[in-house]
C-alpha cells in the first residue's frame, strides 16, 4: 500500500487490483472468488498534507469525513455477530463479502491441505485481533482463554505478535515468553539471534529472561524526535476531554475514541500544530486514532519478511506464513504474503472491507477458534 503523502485527494484510496493481485498467485492458495465482486472501501485513509508537511484545511468536511470513515461506530466493532447482522442489508452485504474473503474456519480444510508438509509461521496483530477494541486503550486486556490458545499455538508453530503498540506494552498485555514481539508497527523487533545477521540497525541484546536476542530498530534515530513530539502532544491535548496520547516508542498515537465528535477538529488542530514543524514525520488514521510515525520505508509487511529471515524461514517453499490482523496497517503484511504468493492473510472484520487478505474471521472469538483448530490439526496430523 502506498502510504506516501497525497497532495490532492483527501482520502487515499488504494484499491486492491483485484484481477492483478490474483494473477501469479499459486492457484491452490486462492479461496473461491466470484468474478466481478467489487466492494467500496474506507480502509485506506490518510490525512492530506502539503509539501510543507502542513495539513490541508483540517476543518474541511473532507478531512472530518476521513476521521469518521476510519472510525466505524464502536458497536459495529464489538457487537455480537448475530446482533450486528440483524439488519437484512448488513447481512446480505456481509455474506456477499464473504464470497470474496471466505471464513478461515469454513475454509480450514483447504488451508490445512495446502499446509501439508509445510512449516506454518504465524503472525498475529494484537488490538482487535487477540483483544477486543475497548474504550480505554490501556485496558485492552487479552482474555485468559485467548492467552492459552496463543501459548498452545506457539508451542507448535513459530509465532510472532506484530503490533502498533510499543513492544514492552504488547508484551505486558500478552505475557508469553514463547513468542517473538514486534512493536511500533514493526519498527521495534525482538527476534532470534542469527549467526549471519548483518542487517543495519540490528544489534544483539538480551530479553527479559536474559536470553540472547537480536534487536532490530530501523527508526532508532527518530527516538528523540518521537519523545519530543509525544510531550508536545500531551501538553497540547490536555484540555480536550477524553483525548489520550500514547507513546509507542517509535510512533505516537492520539486516541480520540472518547472525545466528543464536536471536538474532533480540535484534536486535529492540536496534532497539526505540533507536527507541522516535523517534515520527517507523517500522520495517518487508524480506528479513532491519529498516528504520528517516522517517514521510513518500513511497515508490518517488511517486519514479516524480516522475521521470516530471522527465523530461517524465508526463501523456502515448505513454509506457509499466516498473518491475522484487523487494521489498515496489517494490509502491508497481507500484501507481502499475497504478492510473495506463499502465504495467507486473514482479515478480522465483522463488516465488509476491501483487503489484501485471502480469508476472514469475524471477531476475536473466531480468531481463538482458528488458533485452537490449528493446534488440534497439528496434534492429529502428528499421530
Ligand atoms: Mg489491530
Amino acid at each position: 500500500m502506498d502510504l506516501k503523502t497525497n497532495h490532492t485527494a483527501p482520502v487515499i484510496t488504494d484499491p486492491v487490483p483485484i484481477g492483478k493481485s490474483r494473477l501469479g498467485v499459486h492457484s491452490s492458495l486462492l479461496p473461491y472468488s466470484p468474478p466481478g465482486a467489487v466492494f467500496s472501501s474506507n480502509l485506506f485513509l490518510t490525512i492530506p498534507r502539503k509539501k510543507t508537511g502542513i495539513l490541508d484545511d483540517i476543518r474541511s468536511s473532507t478531512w472530518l469525513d476521513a476521521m469518521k470513515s476510519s472510525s466505524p461506530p464502536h458497536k459495529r466493532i464489538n457487537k455480537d455477530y448475530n446482533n450486528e447482522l440483524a439488519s437484512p442489508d448488513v447481512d446480505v452485504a456481509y455474506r456477499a463479502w464473504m464470497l470474496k474473503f471466505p471464513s478461515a474456519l469454513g475454509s480450514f480444510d483447504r488451508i490445512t491441505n495446502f499446509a501439508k508438509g509445510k512449516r506454518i509461521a504465524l503472525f498475529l496483530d494484537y488490538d482487535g485481533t487477540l483483544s477486543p477494541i475497548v474504550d480505554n486503550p490501556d485496558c485492552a486486556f487479552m482474555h485468559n482463554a485467548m492467552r492459552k490458545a496463543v501459548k498452545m499455538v506457539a508451542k507448535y508453530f513459530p509465532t510472532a505478535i506484530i503490533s502498533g503498540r510499543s513492544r514492552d506494552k504488547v508484551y505486558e498485555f500478552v505475557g508469553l515468553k514463547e513468542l517473538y514481539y514486534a512493536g511500533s508497527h514493526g519498527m521495534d523487533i525482538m527476534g532470534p539471534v542469527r549467526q549471519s545477521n548483518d542487517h543495519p540497525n540490528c544489534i544483539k541484546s538480551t530479553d527479559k529472561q536474559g536470553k540472547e536476542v537480536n534487536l532490530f530498530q530501523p527508526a532508532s534515530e527518530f527516538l528523540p524526535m518521537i519523545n519530543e513530539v509525544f510531550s508536545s502532544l500531551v501538553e497540547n491535548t490536555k484540555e480536550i476531554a477524553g483525548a489520550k496520547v500514547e507513546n509507542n516508542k517509535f510512533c505516537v498515537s492520539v486516541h480520540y475514541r472518547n472525545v466528543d465528535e464536536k471536538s474532533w477538529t480540535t484534536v486535529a488542530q492540536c496534532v497539526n500544530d505540533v507536527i507541522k514543524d516535523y517534515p520527517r514525520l507523517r500522520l495517518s488514521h487508524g480506528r479513532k486514532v491519529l498516528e504520528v510515525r517516522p517517514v521510513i520505508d518500513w511497515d508490518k509487511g517488511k517486519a514479516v519478511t524480516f522475521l521470516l529471515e530471522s527465523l530461517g524461514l524465508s526463501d523456502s517453499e515448505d513454509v506457509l506464513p499466516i498473518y491475522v490482523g484487523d487494521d489498515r496497517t496489517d494490509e502491508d503484511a497481507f500484501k507481502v504474503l499475497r504478492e510473495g504468493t506463499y502465504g495467507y492473510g486473514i482479515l478480522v472484520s465483522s463488516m465488509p472491507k476491501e483487503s489484501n487478505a485471502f480469508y476472514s474471521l469475524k471477531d476475536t472469538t473466531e480468531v481463538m477458534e482458528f488458533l485452537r483448530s490449528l493446534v488440534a490439526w497439528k496434534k492429529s496430523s502428528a499421530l
Side-chain angles (χ1 to χ4, degrees), residues 280-340:
R280 296 182 71 207
L281 298 179
R282 64 184 167 92
L283 194 57
S284 63
H285 277 286
R287 280 179 176 175
K288 292 192 179 176
V289 63
L290 298 177
E291 295 192 289
V292 180
R293 300 165 60 175
V295 180
I296 62 165
D297 185 24
W298 195 262
D299 54 39
K300 285 185 172 185
K302 292 195 166 58
V304 166
T305 304
F306 179 86
L307 275 163
L308 283 169
E309 284 172 9
S310 300
L311 292 162
L313 297 175
S314 60
D315 302 324
S316 176
E317 290 201 348
D318 65 353
V319 174
L320 177 64
I322 296 177
Y323 188 106
V324 190
D326 74 314
D327 210 349
R328 180 187 53 73
T329 56
D330 300 311
E331 292 295 328
D332 296 318
F334 295 155
K335 196 171 179 183
V336 162
L337 296 190
R338 178 179 283 278
E339 291 180 348

Side-chain angles (χ1 to χ4, degrees), residues 82-238:
N82 293 324
N83 291 336
E84 182 179 323
L85 298 187
S87 156
D89 289 345
V90 173
D91 187 29
V92 168
Y94 193 78
R95 286 174 193 281
W97 177 78
M98 284 186 72
L99 292 176
K100 189 178 170 197
F101 301 99
S103 163
L105 288 170
S107 309
F108 193 75
D109 287 347
R110 186 182 176 94
I111 293 172
T112 49
N113 274 338
F114 186 72
K116 272 181 191 155
K118 294 183 167 66
R119 292 188 64 193
I120 290 178
L122 204 53
F123 300 92
L124 305 167
D125 170 48
Y126 182 73
D127 291 270
T129 299
L130 298 181
S131 75
I133 301 290
V134 293
D135 285 338
N136 183 350
D138 284 341
C139 297
F141 301 117
M142 194 162 112
H143 295 306
N144 280 334
M146 179 66 94
R147 183 170 294 102
K148 193 174 168 190
V150 175
K151 187 180 171 77
M152 284 302 288
V153 88
K155 192 172 161 185
Y156 292 97
F157 312 102
T159 303
I161 308 282
I162 304 186
S163 170
R165 305 267 196 165
S166 74
R167 184 168 45 78
D168 285 346
K169 186 75 179 176
V170 79
Y171 178 78
E172 198 180 297
F173 278 135
V174 177
L176 294 171
K177 62 180 187 310
E178 298 90 337
L179 312 178
Y180 302 105
Y181 291 88
S184 310
H185 298 293
M187 289 183 282
D188 187 9
I189 301 176
M190 188 175 272
V193 171
R194 288 183 64 199
Q195 294 308 317
S196 58
N197 207 329
D198 53 359
H199 210 295
N201 294 312
C202 199
I203 57 168
K204 282 198 169 55
S205 181
T206 52
D207 67 7
K208 286 184 164 53
Q209 288 76 43
K211 192 175 71 183
E212 199 177 4
V213 291
N214 262 348
L215 198 57
F216 179 66
Q217 298 176 330
S220 54
E221 64 173 305
F222 287 87
L223 204 50
M225 188 187 291
I226 291 291
N227 284 333
E228 195 176 281
V229 165
F230 170 70
S231 300
S232 301
L233 286 170
V234 168
E235 179 63 26
N236 275 28
T237 59
K238 68 182 181 187

